[in-house]
Structure formats: C-alpha cells, structure tokens
Amino acid sequence: MEVDVLEFKVPVENNKTLFVWNIQPSHTEAQIYAELYAVFSSFGPLYLLKVCPNAPLNPPGFYALVKFYSAAQAAQAQRQTDGRPLLHSAPLKVRLSSKNTPHFLVDRSRPLSHACCLELANHCLGFNGWTSDIITLKELPTEEEEEEEEEEEGGGRRRSLRFGCLLQLSFPHHGQTSRAAAVLEDSFTCTDVLLQKRCRLQRMVREKALVQAFTAVLLILLGNGKVMVELKQTSDQFLPEETEGVLQVNEVSWSEIAPDEDEADDEEWELTVS
C-alpha cells in the first residue's frame, strides 16, 4: 500500500513542486489562478499556487508554480494534467521541479503559518477531526515591571506586555494529543490603546502555541484514502519567532504558565531568550 507522510512545515522538496508552462493570454491572471486552483487542488491540499506573466522576451502568456504538501499527490497531478488543455486552450506543459533554487533552500524546517496549519488539518482530517484546548493563558511579569519605566521624547512612556499560553491539540479519532507552550512579549507607548494591544498579543500567543503543537504532528496518508495521525518524538518544538519586534522565549518553564503544580510536567525547562 502506498504511504505518504505530511509534516506541518513549509514544503521545499523538488518532488512536491510543479511548473506549468504554455498558458495562453486568452484569460486574465485571476481567471487562470481560479481555474488552475480548481484543477490542482482536486489532487490534494496546496501550499502555494502562483501565476506569473512570461518574461518580456518570451511570447505573451503566463506560467504557474504549484506546491503540494504531498510528493505522491504532486506526481499524480503531473501525470494527469501534462499535455491536457486545462484552460480550454493549447495543451499545457506540467513538469516536476528538476533543480533547487535559492527560494527553495531557505528555512528547510520552517513551520507552517497558523492559517496554513488550519487549512491542512481541516482538509486532511475534517473540521471535526481535531480540537485545540487552551490549558492556560495568562499575563506574565516583565523585566520592565522591576525597573523604572523609560521616558521617551515628547514625554511618552513605554511599557511591555508578556503573555504565556499552554495549549493541547487533540485528535479524538486517533487517540493522539500534542502539547506546546509559547511566550510572547511586546512593548509599546502608553499612548497606544492598551485593550487592543492585550487582545492582539493574546491572539498571537494562542496562534503561536497552536503552530508549535502542530510541528510534532505527522499525517500518514494511506493509499486507500485513509489518514492516520502520529507524533514525532522531539525535545524542541520552539522555533525562532519571525515577527520582528516580538520577543520569543524558546523554552518555557511550565510553572510560569501552568495554573498549578499538579498540571505541570515533572520535566524541568530552561528559560532562554533569543
């Protein structure tokens, strides 16, 4: 039985990437995108679909880049679409990527965004195939609370907010659960709206914890159409934060964000700040 494994990280492998040529300029770029998405997403979830105009020295028209999460689904799509008039025009050329480019070599282990995690999980498992539960979400003390607030030009003062979130991801039909924690801190001027800042940071730390929980999940696609869920055994699910200006704590003490000692793991976590 054919088996394919999907991870909740950005797909960079060549065998998951298709290039589409010979797209005639008889449709608008938006129409081409919609039609290609309908065709290729029928083979499996897509991480990326990008439609671009041909280079100036080439004949008028477009080409497209299609990235799948699954190598098997990308290969099937290539076999069944190559040489077909998908856009009611000349037959299209569809090929698997044959070489790496600098774009594909960046951040090979980069986790998916929050939106992509939801899309992939819902596509493969259904909306009722998984749940997320916040074990605790609380405001944590910051270093600035122990020091005098800095006064900026114009008389404004800056303060910081720091939130921690411990979250559990559950797959009830597969008997699997994954826990992850995240801590985020942001600073702002006191003239900003405090309530909006608090809500934004709470949302960001919830999403970060969910992404971290998904990094331990493997989706096993079986040839008969069934999906299994397994967990990777990893000691470090906390990856560098990409958002500039947000402080990311890579490993968090459960005692900082768990409501009491009974809910905390016995394992000791070292607090490190990047």
Side-chain angles (χ1 to χ4, degrees), residues 209-253:
L210 184 66
V211 168
Q212 300 289 14
F214 269 120
T215 60
V217 176
L218 297 175
L219 299 179
I220 314 297
L221 307 185
L222 305 180
N224 58 7
K226 294 184 178 181
V227 180
M228 297 177 60
V229 176
E230 297 292 341
L231 298 182
K232 293 186 290 186
Q233 299 299 322
T234 175
S235 60
D236 183 11
Q237 297 179 27
F238 302 94
L239 300 177
E241 172 60 40
E242 298 172 356
T243 306
E244 184 177 356
V246 176
L247 184 64
Q248 169 67 38
V249 179
N250 291 330
E251 294 183 347
V252 189
S253 169

Side-chain angles (χ1 to χ4, degrees), residues 16-259:
K16 298 179 181 179
T17 304
L18 300 180
F19 287 101
V20 184
W21 291 281
N22 204 31
I23 303 175
Q24 301 301 311
S26 56
H27 297 71
T28 66
E29 189 171 328
Q31 290 173 329
I32 293 171
Y33 180 94
E35 294 194 33
L36 289 181
Y37 187 89
V39 170
F40 287 104
S41 63
S42 65
F43 295 96
L46 303 181
Y47 169 71
L48 173 71
L49 170 60
K50 187 174 182 180
V51 178
C52 305
N54 289 340
L57 298 180
N58 292 333
F62 299 88
Y63 68 94
L65 172 68
V66 186
K67 293 183 71 66
F68 285 83
Y69 294 102
S70 164
Q73 292 169 352
Q76 182 185 13
Q78 189 277 328
R79 292 192 301 267
Q80 297 189 19
T81 59
D82 184 36
R84 304 290 181 87
L86 302 179
L87 303 176
H88 309 291
S89 59
L92 300 184
K93 297 179 180 179
V94 183
R95 299 287 189 273
L96 284 168
S97 175
S98 59
K99 64 179 181 179
N100 283 320
T101 67
H103 172 75
F104 300 142
L105 292 173
V106 176
D107 295 334
R108 282 189 170 271
S109 61
R110 185 157 55 98
L112 293 178
S113 67
H114 176 261
C116 287
C117 285
L118 299 184
E119 182 180 7
L120 181 58
N122 290 336
H123 188 284
C124 295
L125 301 171
F127 291 94
N128 297 322
W130 64 279
T131 61
S132 63
D133 300 291
I134 296 176
I135 298 174
T136 185
L137 173 63
K138 63 181 297 184
E139 186 171 354
L140 304 175
T142 64
E143 293 182 0
E144 288 190 3
E145 292 181 1
E146 301 176 358
E147 302 175 357
E148 184 177 353
E149 290 182 332
E150 298 179 359
E151 186 170 349
E152 293 190 336
E153 295 182 3
R157 293 181 178 275
R158 295 192 65 83
R159 64 163 295 178
S160 296
L161 283 174
R162 186 168 182 250
F163 279 92
C165 180
L166 177 61
L167 178 144
Q168 178 168 289
L169 191 61
S170 302
F171 303 89
H173 304 308
H174 304 273
Q176 299 283 9
T177 60
S178 173
R179 278 191 178 188
V183 173
L184 291 179
E185 182 173 328
D186 196 8
S187 60
F188 56 94
T189 61
C190 291
T191 57
D192 294 332
V193 180
L194 178 60
L195 180 60
Q196 292 180 355
K197 287 289 183 180
R198 289 175 61 90
C199 292
R200 178 177 177 272
L201 196 59
Q202 288 176 351
R203 174 182 57 81
M204 289 176 60
V205 77
R206 290 196 305 267
E207 293 179 355
K208 182 65 176 180
L210 184 66
V211 168
Q212 300 289 14
F214 269 120
T215 60
V217 176
L218 297 175
L219 299 179
I220 314 297
L221 307 185
L222 305 180
N224 58 7
K226 294 184 178 181
V227 180
M228 297 177 60
V229 176
E230 297 292 341
L231 298 182
K232 293 186 290 186
Q233 299 299 322
T234 175
S235 60
D236 183 11
Q237 297 179 27
F238 302 94
L239 300 177
E241 172 60 40
E242 298 172 356
T243 306
E244 184 177 356
V246 176
L247 184 64
Q248 169 67 38
V249 179
N250 291 330
E251 294 183 347
V252 189
S253 169
W254 293 123
S255 61
E256 279 196 302
I257 57 179

